[in-house]
Amino acid sequence: MTISYLCTLPLPDHWFDELARRVPGIEIVRAETGAEVPPETLGRIELLHTGDWFPEPAAVPALRGVQLDTSGVDHVRGTPLWASGVPIATLGGIAPVPMAEYATMAILELAHRMPRIERHRAERSWPSNAERLATLTPRQLAGATVGIVGYGRIGREISRLAEVLGMRVLGVSRSGARQQGGEKFDTGRRAAADDPAELFPIGRLDEVLAQSDFLVVVVPLTEETRGLIGERELALLPAGAYVVNIARGGIVDETALLAGLRAGRIAGVALDVFDEEPLGPDSLWWSELGALITPHVAGLAPQYHAQTLDLVVENVTRLAERRPLVNEVDRAAGY
């Protein structure tokens, strides 16, 4: 097939060699973000593979598809390319397993009081027997309820692992309906048809919050989800609940979350994303007891190169065959 493909990502040489082997006839143009691409070359590009470089539509008249290097699209909305109507595909489906493992790790660490234990380690203080019993006894996970807000490929994988711990799973999505496959890339280990979680539409979020001993937020950031979990929603959680945010900053009200943590209504939080990133050295979160803080690492995928190659090959093939891209963004939904 003959497809002109431009990549602005610093992928290794062997990745492009394998792409050329698997897609004979493809024209590969490499230009890491900021590098100049001759106008005549840019003018014939049909598939753009990028993370954060979005040219003016007039500069890419032959463009028929964009493959993002991100699962989220909040940084693309508002660009001329978004408004152009050119199909855009996300990297979604690469990270369900590592993100679910992170969420499970966070649940386990919070339940086993690891933020408090790490404070003892940092201070080189060994708690008394009475203090250990009072402050370091784990929270029982078997029988506890985890509410997952943003229930798709990642949510199903979190559900699979939570089940092993004996947890009850409530999932929240836009419609509350079980996904029926579709044109989505998915490296997760559980099919939608095999998922026993109880699902709710977003309009019934309050019901889920009221039952969630652990709340995991993994919903995309859109105009509808910005500020979704605010002071009112956090107050609906059972006393002593835990909050895990692996979605995007701006979805959970950080000020209200901190207030709930300090008041003792929220027993602990795990935050991988923040309103402002990188998190500043003066942020209160760094030293907050009861908080597990990580630098936006939940979605890092160990098999990133191989899985991304599979996705790009699939979409190059689809483009050549005039078929819809896998993982194509629903602009109306915003993700």
Side-chain angles (χ1 to χ4, degrees):
M1 66 183 71
T2 302
I3 290 286
S4 294
Y5 160 86
L6 168 62
C7 183
T8 68
L9 307 170
L11 295 168
D13 292 343
H14 67 80
W15 192 94
F16 294 100
D17 293 341
E18 183 64 13
L19 175 61
R21 188 191 69 78
R22 291 176 60 177
V23 186
I26 188 173
E27 178 192 11
I28 298 175
V29 180
R30 298 172 61 177
E32 292 186 22
T33 301
E36 290 292 332
V37 179
E40 61 273 14
T41 302
L42 201 56
R44 65 174 181 269
I45 296 301
E46 297 169 87
L47 179 64
L48 170 63
H49 186 187
T50 187
D52 56 10
W53 182 73
F54 308 112
E56 292 289 331
V60 282
L63 191 66
R64 296 195 287 125
V66 177
Q67 174 63 63
L68 295 177
D69 191 51
T70 58
S71 297
V73 298
D74 41 289
H75 62 307
V76 191
R77 287 194 296 268
T79 67
L81 199 57
W82 178 272
S84 73
V86 172
I88 298 173
T90 73
L91 196 66
I94 295 286
V97 170
M99 290 194 75
E101 289 174 350
Y102 177 100
T104 307
M105 173 199 73
I107 289 170
L108 285 166
E109 288 210 12
L110 292 174
H112 284 265
R113 321 297 185 186
M114 287 306 296
R116 188 175 290 273
I117 289 172
E118 284 297 323
R119 176 66 62 88
H120 283 293
R121 179 186 179 188
E123 296 175 348
R124 301 185 177 217
S125 64
W126 190 276
S128 66
N129 286 344
E131 188 177 2
R132 282 189 290 159
L133 286 171
T135 64
L136 301 181
T137 298
R139 168 70 178 268
Q140 180 171 306
L141 293 180
T145 296
V146 56
I148 304 172
V149 179
Y151 200 84
R153 290 163 287 188
I154 299 167
R156 285 199 302 272
E157 190 64 17
I158 296 171
S159 174
R160 188 181 71 83
L161 297 178
E163 243 181 73
V164 176
L165 299 174
M167 302 183 78
R168 172 185 176 224
V169 179
L170 308 179
V172 179
S173 65
R174 270 201 309 163
S175 67
R178 217 165 286 283
Q179 292 183 351
Q180 302 298 320
E183 303 296 306
K184 297 292 184 183
F185 189 76
D186 191 359
T187 59
R189 297 167 181 162
R190 165 170 276 171
D194 301 326
D195 183 7
E198 188 176 352
L199 303 187
F200 294 77
I202 192 66
R204 295 176 63 189
L205 174 62
D206 287 2
E207 295 177 48
V208 173
L209 293 173
Q211 301 177 68
S212 296
D213 303 302
F214 291 82
L215 179 69
V216 179
V217 181
V218 70
V219 69
L221 176 62
T222 67
E223 289 308 310
E224 288 71 29
T225 62
R226 187 177 295 278
L228 180 67
I229 307 297
E231 182 179 4
R232 187 191 74 83
E233 288 74 23
L234 292 170
L236 293 174
L237 293 170
Y242 297 83
V243 176
V244 178
N245 187 5
I246 56 174
R248 285 288 189 274
I251 296 171
V252 178
D253 184 329
E254 290 182 13
T255 301
L257 186 63
L258 182 60
L261 182 63
R262 289 182 169 179
R265 285 207 74 261
I266 294 173
V269 303
L271 301 177
D272 187 53
V273 294
F274 298 88
D275 293 346
E276 294 185 12
E277 296 183 10
L279 190 65
D282 296 331
S283 172
L284 298 174
W285 285 116
W286 289 116
S287 57
E288 190 63 33
L289 184 63
L292 171 65
I293 303 301
T294 55
H296 206 141
V297 296
L300 299 182
Q303 296 299 315
Y304 164 81
H305 283 147
Q307 293 169 347
T308 302
L309 181 63
D310 288 342
L311 179 56
V312 170
V313 168
E314 175 69 17
N315 274 337
V316 168
T317 302
R318 285 168 172 260
L319 207 63
E321 296 174 353
R322 304 279 175 177
R323 292 190 288 139
L325 301 179
V326 69
N327 279 358
E328 185 173 339
V329 173
D330 180 342
R331 280 172 164 84
Y335 60 91

